Amino acid sequence: MNEQRWINAKEQYDAVPVPPELNDRVRQGIRSGRSARRRTRGLRSLGTAAACFALVFACLNLSPAIAHAAADLPVVGGLFEVLTIRNYVDTDGDRTVSVTQPGLSGTAFAQQINDEIQVRVEEKIAEGEERIAQEREAFFATGGTEEDWAKRNNEVHVDYDIRYQSDSRVSFVVNAYVATAVVTQEQYFYNLDVSQDRELTLQDLLGEDWKAICDESIRTQMAAAEDPRVFFLEDQGGFSGVDDTTGFYINAAGNPVIVFPKYAIAIGAMGAVEFEISP
């Protein structure tokens, strides 16, 4: 959309008469919605979440007052936003499920990303619930007591972090973990060019020689580590090079940061291992 169309659209918005009480009603509605989400124990279906998501943006388009009330939401570019579309905590005697789920506004591409995130979140919640149920059964089968079980901190948790944003690009990470007797964690990386409705690759950021640049930088950083022995040797399953499936995010400097999950290339005490790659 060109600048003149934006100006015309703004003038049309500003011309819409706004009832004096609208702002108060909007803010009251937002507060009520947040309270209702906190009390929610079940999970919204994909269809319900999509409908609510669409309603938010319909409201933003209808009135400048409503848009102003939502002005504290993270914004990426003029037509692309990253929003928290689901936020709740569900606790019972066995576990706690806490979810802060992102969603994108904009195009069909944005909805495609939303659908993918939805599936991943639901899968992680189901996986966590099943694992906790299995551990509960095993716990009591081996003589565990209700009192001891109540001391366990069983949790399924999902949240996200925006790592980089500009008018045309956004990078964020969806974090998911299940904590029982053992903690397992996964990260899903989204690096998007919102002006072209596509996912960014390491080649986009580093050029044709992206693989050689990454491999050389990572090996140099590993060798310069305080104790390089924390990294597995290549013949032990250690680092052997990046590929198209290697996870990364874009940091505040605009550089890609390669991320290897816990145990992938180093001892468990290192956790997830990250390497910033400077072009």
Side-chain angles (χ1 to χ4, degrees):
M1 183 178 291
N2 61 37
E3 182 177 356
Q4 186 57 46
R5 291 180 67 186
W6 274 112
I7 293 173
N8 293 341
K10 183 178 185 303
E11 290 176 350
Q12 293 175 6
Y13 280 157
D14 291 341
V16 176
V18 181
E21 70 275 11
L22 182 57
N23 259 334
D24 291 338
R25 290 185 179 179
V26 169
R27 295 184 183 278
Q28 181 180 358
I30 292 173
R31 288 193 297 269
S32 298
R34 287 174 176 167
S35 298
R37 282 197 298 272
R38 294 190 186 100
R39 293 193 298 269
T40 299
R41 296 180 58 84
L43 301 179
R44 294 189 180 96
S45 67
L46 176 59
T48 302
C52 292
F53 191 61
L55 178 60
V56 169
F57 289 99
C59 290
L60 289 176
N61 287 330
L62 284 173
S63 169
I66 297 178
H68 178 74
D72 60 338
L73 298 173
V75 175
V76 182
L79 292 175
F80 203 93
E81 296 173 309
V82 181
L83 305 170
T84 296
I85 64 170
R86 187 163 63 158
N87 184 20
Y88 73 92
V89 177
D90 176 17
T91 301
D92 63 20
D94 290 331
R95 87 294 180 270
T96 296
V97 176
S98 57
V99 174
T100 303
Q101 180 178 329
L104 311 179
S105 70
T107 63
F109 171 72
Q111 187 56 52
Q112 175 185 330
I113 298 298
N114 292 341
D115 292 345
E116 179 181 310
I117 293 172
Q118 179 76 21
V119 169
R120 284 177 164 172
V121 170
E122 297 293 351
E123 287 178 346
K124 180 54 62 174
I125 293 171
E127 172 193 325
E129 295 270 21
E130 181 179 1
R131 201 172 101 192
I132 291 169
Q134 291 173 347
E135 290 201 17
R136 187 182 195 284
E137 182 178 354
F139 182 83
F140 288 109
T142 55
T145 65
E146 289 284 355
E147 182 180 0
D148 289 337
W149 176 256
K151 296 176 183 177
R152 295 272 296 265
N153 182 25
N154 299 315
E155 182 178 5
V156 182
H157 179 87
V158 178
D159 64 17
Y160 71 98
D161 298 305
I162 299 176
R163 300 299 176 87
Y164 176 85
Q165 61 186 50
S166 69
D167 286 343
S168 61
R169 292 180 173 181
V170 60
S171 177
F172 63 96
V173 183
V174 177
N175 308 292
Y177 71 78
V178 178
T180 56
V182 177
V183 177
T184 59
Q185 182 173 4
E186 290 183 77
Q187 292 183 300
Y188 308 105
F189 302 94
Y190 293 90
N191 306 289
L192 311 175
D193 184 331
V194 301
S195 65
Q196 299 184 32
D197 279 354
R198 68 183 185 89
E199 296 191 55
L200 290 165
T201 66
L202 288 168
Q203 181 173 333
D204 293 325
L205 301 174
L206 300 172
E208 292 292 333
D209 295 330
W210 64 275
K211 189 178 188 310
I213 292 171
C214 289
D215 290 352
E216 180 181 357
S217 178
I218 290 171
R219 289 194 170 100
T220 299
Q221 293 181 59
M222 290 169 59
E226 183 176 348
D227 186 358
R229 295 174 299 175
V230 300
F231 298 104
F232 303 139
L233 299 176
E234 187 171 339
D235 61 5
Q236 296 174 325
F239 177 69
S240 60
V242 300
D243 58 32
D244 292 331
T245 67
T246 301
F248 74 95
Y249 64 86
I250 303 171
N251 65 12
N255 294 330
V257 178
I258 306 295
V259 183
F260 294 97
K262 185 177 181 179
Y263 296 115
I265 66 168
I267 61 175
M270 295 291 291
V273 184
E274 300 187 355
F275 300 94
E276 180 178 3
I277 311 298
S278 299

